[in-house]
Amino acid sequence: MWQKEDTTYRDLRESSLDQWLTEMEAHEDLQVRGGVRLAREYLAYLKKENQRLQEQNQLTQTYLKKAILDKRKR
C-alpha cells in the first residue's frame, strides 16, 4: 500500500518563496533586485544537485542489494 508522498508543505513553502522573490524584483534597491536572480539560480542548482544525489543514492542501494543477494547465494 504505497501512498503518494504528501508534498503540501514543501509546495506551499516553495510558492511562498517564489512570490516573495517576485515582490523583491520590484524593489527600488538594485542590490536587492540583483539578489533575486542569484537566489533563483541557487535554488535551481540545489534542486538539480538534490536530484543527482537521489539518483546516485538509488544506484548505490541497487548495487548493495544485488551484492547482498549474490553473497547469500554462495
Side-chain angles (χ1 to χ4, degrees), residues 8 16 29 33 38 43 47-48 51 59 61 74:
T8 306
S16 295
D29 189 355
R33 289 192 311 255
L38 179 66
L43 287 171
K47 285 181 183 179
K48 186 176 178 181
Q51 182 64 32
L59 182 63
Q61 287 178 356
R74 291 183 196 171

Side-chain angles (χ1 to χ4, degrees), residues 28-45:
E28 61 188 41
D29 189 355
L30 180 60
Q31 290 178 332
V32 173
R33 289 192 311 255
V36 170
R37 179 177 174 198
L38 179 66
R40 289 188 195 276
E41 289 174 356
Y42 186 62
L43 287 171
Y45 162 76

